[in-house]
Every structure is written in structure tokens, then in C-alpha cells.
Amino acid sequence: PLPAGTPPGPSRWNEIIELFRAGMPLRKHRCHFKSYERCFKASEAVDCLHELLGSNQNFGPEVTRNQTVKLLKKFLKNHVIEDIKGRWGKEDFQDDGHLYRFPPSSPLKPYPKKPSCGKEVIKFPDWNEPKAGTSQEHIPVKSVTMNSEMWYKRHSIAIGEVPACKLVFRRELTHTNIEEIWKSMTLSQLQKVLGLDSLDEVLDPKLVNSKHIVQNAYNVNKQGIVTLEDKSKELPHWILSAMKCLANWPSYSDLKQPTYSGFERDVFKTIVDYFGQMKEPLLTFHFFDVFVSVLGLLQKHSKAVEALQISCLLLPPENRKRLQLLVRMMVRISFNNDLPPLSESVRTRNLMVQAFSRCILCSKDEMDLDELLAAKLVSFLMDNYQEILSVPSTLKSSIEEHIVHLQRVQIKYAGADTDATFPPPSFCHQISTDEFEYQRATGSQEPLAALLEEIAMNKEISVKDKKKQLKQFQKSYPEVYRVRFPTPETEAVLFPEKNKQKPPILMWALKKPFQPFHRTRSFRM
């Protein structure tokens, strides 16, 4: 098992090298009448490494022998292995009988230092903080109308002193504010889904463009494909026509060229060559470790889909659109039985994975297992592309609700779990300290006095509950209570004593407790 928190790229590279060195059988071989100790044939290395990769949970049985040969080419280039004469540095490894050996020590990939951006993904903007140079003590308190039931519910646990309410004015959210909220909440959810203590292990949050996230979430057409603001970044029309030609074969004929034997293979080669010449993969070098880390979640299908949904939302819009169009074409070609085979030896689906994996995902560092990892990820992407390449609706709704919440003007109560919302004020200006004290005295006592009166006159609650509420109000606001009930007699008027004299019939019954029993007519026979 890998140590917790290690970056996916170097850890997998080092792990495979160590397993390969430990598991590769070494013995004596003869070549040109000369014996060589502790070496192995190239074909034996392919057999061993292919079996090792197939049983590894990070790669699985989907790894082909050809992919294993490509990895051994990298091993030879990076001096993980060398030929029996000590030569290395080229990718001329072949699946044949040439002899190779391990150098005294194979180069392991160093773990990169974590970015210095800290554990916090993004600090949420605190819209409650007053601007520099201002004090909330000089903001006048706005009167609030509450009924007794609402007040009692909020303050039933606050039998002691309950501070006065305070109106919290929200600062207006700019477009930049909204973009930063999208970025912060998106990265927070990604970190949660990946189960990481910090995204620093796989991503530098500073490289995430908040504008890209918002554009990918909202600039989409009816089919869910991203629409680009910069039309110069669109795919060339001839490539789109070629992709549609194969995806809709044989009905699509926008190329307006006569078909011939092998025509579809030439069109396919044109598409492969176009995407193969890109300087950077569609999932970008920056996000390589993010997407590779999702491979550990593939057994948890819903988690993997959500993680890829969010990760694809981070892409530049032009990359996301190209990915959407390319993967959709790959899937349609794979299921198009009317399309002639594009290869004599490789099944169409496997051909799609082999042809486009590297242009979708690869590492900037040659010392990596990117081709094997990309093949596994692209296969999962093809199987679930409609979900993965759509905007995550749950995340979008939660962010929109949070933004709406921040844009409200709210009244805050100590100990309260809910807010009373009001329309935003048209303006706000600074006032003097004397005027503020006057407003605080008159503005807060008038609604409290009205509230006390409502409690006192409420005939729908029991006497017991009314006494309890009045007692709480008296402890919370003694001055307001004293104005309404200056003496115990004024309070007693609310609770008139019941007449303790019992009805005459009962008094008469008590005066004659031992009267003899008189038979009534019903008992006579």
C-alpha cells in the first residue's frame, strides 16, 4: 500500500519499479558465445511486467502487451534497465530475445514538495465584515415586527440576558465575488469527494481559473456542449466535418467528396493526427494528478463520476468543448455497426482508447505511467461520458442558493437559528453618536413594547405559558417591562383570581352528610 498523502504520479512510478525489480527472475544467459550473469530476455521482461500490471489495482487486466512494451521503452530511456553492455537512454526496446539487466540502482522519481499555498483551498469572502475604517456600532438598528410565537421560539432557551437584535447589511456581490465563490465551493467539494486532507497533494489552487468554472457551468447549448465566447478557439470546420462523418456514418456527407475503399480510415487518420499534434492534452498538464487520483475511486462508481464531473469543470472552456465532442465521437464510432473496421487487428473500442488516450491525458514528466493510466481513465470516461461531461446539478444548486443567501439583508439574533430577511436599503449614511444613542433607545424599545403588549393580550395561549413568556421577557428587557407593569397590581390584572366560594348545592350537601337513604318509587315492587 502507498503511504497516505503521496502524490499519485511519483508513487505509482516508484512502486512499479520496485515491484518489477523484486519480481523479475534473473539468471545466466549466453549471447555470442559469452555468458552473462543476472540478466533477462526482453520477452521475459514483457511477460513479467505485463502480469504485474494486470494484477495491480491501479492498472488492471485492461493493460495490453503493447502498452507494457511502451513502458519498458521508458524504463530503458530513464535507466531503470540497461542492455548487457551497459547502454541506455534510447527507446529502442523490442519484444524479442535481446538481453537486459538492472543497473545497481534504478532511478526513483522524487516526490515534489507541496505548494506553499497552505491547507486552505480558498478563503470564503466574509460579507459580514465591515469595510476598513467603519464601525458597526454606528449603524442604526432597524425596528423588527415579530409576533409572540416567533419571539418565544427564538428566545425560549435564553432565559438570561438576550442582547438586542442587529441588522446586518450585505455588501453587493460583484461578478468577481461570484466567480471566487464558485471556485471556492467547487474545490471544497472536489477535496471532499477525493477524500483528501488538502488539495495541495494533487493541485495548486492558484492555477484554477474561476472564470473557466463559471463559463463551463452556464455557457452551454441544448445538448450540454460548452459555447465559447472566443470563436477563434473553436475546432476547425474541416475537423468537425470529419468527426461528424465517422460518428454518423454512413448518413453524414458534409465532406462532399467521393468515397473510396479505405476512405473512412483516411478520415480517421486525419482526426488522430490533428489531436495528436496538440502541445498539451485536453485535461492539461496542471490537472494530471487530479484526474489520476480519481482512478482510486473507480470501484465506487458514483464517487468517481462526481469527482470527474467536478474536475472537468475546472478545464479551460475550449478544452472542455473539444473533450465533449471527441469523446462523443469515440463512443458513437464504437457502437456504429455500419462503419467498416478502422483496423484489421484491433477492435474499434480499443482502437479509440489507444488512438486518443494520450491527447486526453498525459504527464509532462516522461518518467510516468501516463499511457497506462490514461487508457484506464478514458475507458471509464467513454462508459459514463454523458454524466461526467454534464454540469453537476447538485453542486450548481448549492452554490446558487449560497449566493442568493449572501445577497439578502438579514436580521441577526443571538442564539437564533434562522434569519428574518428584508429588502436591501436604498442608502445608508453615517450619523452622530448622540443621534445613534437616541435611535437605539427609541428604535429598539418601541417594537419590544409592542411585542410585550401582544404577549400580554394573547388569549390563545394558556395562563401558564403566558406567565412563562412574561417572566423571560422581564429578565431580558427589565426596563421595557417596568414601563408596562410598574406595580405588581398592574400585572395581576392579567390574571384575575377565580372565586373560591363553592356552589350552594355543594355547601348544602356538606351540611347534611348523614341523611337516611330514601327509597324511590323505582325500588318498590
Side-chain angles (χ1 to χ4, degrees):
L2 303 178
T6 54
S11 65
R12 289 192 173 94
W13 172 266
N14 296 345
E15 178 192 21
I16 292 300
I17 290 177
E18 292 169 355
L19 291 175
F20 181 48
R21 287 183 68 103
M24 183 66 222
L26 305 177
R27 56 189 180 88
K28 183 191 292 186
H29 287 83
R30 291 184 62 84
C31 180
H32 301 301
F33 308 104
K34 187 176 181 179
S35 296
Y36 296 91
E37 299 287 343
R38 297 181 58 79
C39 59
F40 49 86
K41 290 182 179 180
S43 58
E44 294 172 344
V46 177
D47 292 338
C48 176
L49 185 57
H50 186 218
E51 182 179 356
L52 187 153
L53 293 171
S55 60
N56 188 286
Q57 63 177 357
N58 292 321
F59 304 99
E62 298 88 0
V63 177
T64 65
R65 190 174 182 88
N66 184 51
Q67 290 172 328
T68 306
V69 172
K70 289 182 178 180
L71 179 57
L72 284 165
K73 287 178 181 288
K74 287 191 174 184
F75 281 1
L76 180 60
K77 183 176 181 179
N78 291 283
H79 206 194
V80 176
I81 59 177
E82 63 185 19
D83 69 12
I84 53 174
K85 295 185 179 181
R87 293 173 296 193
W88 60 277
K90 296 182 179 180
E91 293 190 8
D92 53 0
F93 183 93
Q94 300 294 330
D95 189 357
D96 54 22
H98 280 76
L99 297 180
Y100 293 89
R101 67 190 181 192
F102 290 116
S105 62
S106 294
L108 298 181
K109 186 175 180 181
Y111 296 124
K113 294 182 179 180
K114 291 184 178 182
S116 58
C117 49
K119 288 270 183 178
E120 275 189 62
V121 175
I122 293 289
K123 182 182 178 182
F124 278 95
D126 189 353
W127 314 113
N128 291 318
E129 292 181 355
K131 293 182 179 180
T134 62
S135 172
Q136 284 212 337
E137 294 181 359
H138 296 286
I139 298 178
V141 178
K142 184 170 182 175
S143 303
V144 182
T145 303
M146 283 194 300
N147 57 33
S148 59
E149 181 181 358
M150 185 178 181
W151 182 89
Y152 178 68
K153 180 180 179 182
R154 290 187 172 186
H155 299 287
S156 59
I157 61 172
I159 299 178
E161 181 182 358
V162 179
C165 56
K166 181 177 68 173
L167 187 64
V168 179
F169 290 93
R170 304 295 194 184
R171 280 185 275 174
E172 183 180 355
L173 296 183
T174 65
H175 193 65
T176 301
N177 296 148
I178 293 174
E179 288 174 348
E180 287 303 313
I181 292 170
W182 263 92
K183 175 179 176 178
S184 179
M185 294 187 68
T186 300
L187 293 182
S188 296
Q189 183 62 20
L190 178 61
Q191 178 179 322
K192 178 181 177 182
V193 175
L194 293 178
L196 300 175
D197 294 331
S198 171
L199 282 180
D200 295 346
E201 302 172 17
V202 296
L203 172 70
D204 183 353
K206 294 178 181 177
L207 301 177
V208 178
N209 190 321
S210 58
K211 293 182 182 294
H212 292 169
I213 301 176
V214 175
Q215 289 175 17
N216 290 333
Y218 289 104
N219 295 358
V220 295
N221 60 19
K222 294 180 180 179
Q223 290 75 37
I225 306 295
V226 176
T227 57
L228 302 183
E229 297 178 353
D230 186 355
K231 300 303 179 183
S232 66
K233 296 181 178 180
E234 296 277 5
L235 278 173
H237 177 72
W238 57 273
I239 282 293
L240 280 174
S241 297
M243 295 170 69
K244 291 178 181 179
C245 174
L246 295 186
N248 301 293
W249 186 277
S251 59
Y252 188 81
S253 59
D254 189 48
L255 291 178
K256 299 179 180 179
Q257 292 181 358
T259 59
Y260 51 85
S261 179
F263 172 78
E264 65 284 345
R265 294 189 182 187
D266 288 344
V267 174
F268 179 68
K269 184 178 183 303
T270 300
I271 300 171
V272 173
D273 290 343
Y274 175 81
F275 283 97
Q277 54 81 34
M278 295 189 307
K279 296 181 180 179
E280 189 174 23
L282 294 176
L283 300 184
T284 75
F285 291 136
H286 292 316
F287 300 142
F288 174 79
D289 286 340
V290 175
F291 286 99
V292 169
S293 64
V294 179
L295 292 174
L297 299 175
L298 294 188
Q299 294 179 346
K300 301 176 181 178
H301 183 272
S302 59
K303 286 283 187 182
V305 169
E306 183 181 2
L308 287 174
Q309 263 190 334
I310 299 174
S311 300
C312 289
L313 209 59
L314 309 180
L315 298 173
E318 58 271 19
N319 288 45
R320 180 178 172 89
K321 180 170 186 176
R322 294 184 179 204
L323 181 66
Q324 290 174 319
L325 296 175
L326 178 60
V327 175
R328 188 172 65 173
M329 180 206 72
M330 293 165 62
V331 173
R332 289 186 178 180
I333 290 177
S334 299
F335 287 100
N336 191 345
N337 295 325
D338 295 327
L339 182 67
L342 299 174
S343 172
E344 298 293 342
S345 57
V346 184
R347 291 177 54 229
T348 303
R349 177 185 168 87
N350 292 340
L351 179 64
M352 295 299 107
V353 174
Q354 292 177 19
F356 296 109
S357 288
R358 189 165 180 80
C359 74
I360 292 177
L361 177 70
C362 72
S363 171
K364 194 173 185 179
D365 188 351
E366 289 187 357
M367 291 176 60
D368 220 320
L369 310 174
D370 49 359
E371 291 186 25
L372 303 179
L373 300 171
K376 193 176 184 70
L377 185 70
V378 170
S379 294
F380 186 82
L381 182 59
M382 289 179 65
D383 292 335
N384 305 276
Y385 80 100
Q386 289 183 324
E387 287 182 271
I388 292 173
L389 296 178
S390 63
V391 179
S393 57
T394 303
L395 175 65
K396 184 180 179 182
S397 298
S398 64
I399 294 175
E400 289 174 343
E401 290 173 3
H402 182 69
I403 291 173
V404 170
H405 174 76
L406 290 177
Q407 290 174 327
R408 294 193 183 111
V409 176
Q410 301 176 351
I411 193 76
K412 293 287 186 180
Y413 291 89
D417 55 353
T418 57
D419 299 325
T421 59
F422 299 91
S426 56
F427 65 95
C428 180
H429 62 275
Q430 189 173 6
I431 61 176
S432 65
T433 304
D434 294 339
E435 186 178 355
F436 167 72
E437 293 295 338
Y438 173 78
Q439 287 190 12
R440 183 173 65 175
T442 58
S444 61
Q445 290 188 6
E446 289 178 4
L448 289 175
L451 179 61
L452 177 59
E453 189 67 23
E454 183 178 344
I455 297 174
M457 297 294 105
N458 192 345
K459 297 181 180 181
E460 297 181 358
I461 59 176
S462 65
V463 173
K464 181 180 179 181
D465 290 339
K466 181 179 292 188
K467 287 183 177 180
K468 187 176 182 180
Q469 291 184 23
L470 289 173
K471 182 179 179 181
Q472 290 179 358
F473 193 101
Q474 183 181 18
K475 290 188 175 183
S476 301
Y477 306 101
E479 294 181 2
V480 178
Y481 192 87
R482 193 178 303 113
V483 172
R484 174 62 177 82
F485 302 109
T487 63
E489 290 75 14
T490 56
E491 183 180 6
V493 174
L494 297 178
F495 309 103
E497 295 186 3
K498 295 183 179 179
N499 189 358
K500 295 184 179 181
Q501 185 177 2
K502 297 184 178 180
I505 187 171
L506 294 177
M507 297 297 292
W508 174 84
L510 289 174
K511 290 179 181 180
K512 301 179 178 180
F514 302 111
Q515 292 294 325
F517 179 74
H518 295 282
R519 292 180 181 271
T520 62
R521 190 175 289 182
S522 61
F523 285 96
R524 296 178 182 176
M525 302 300 294

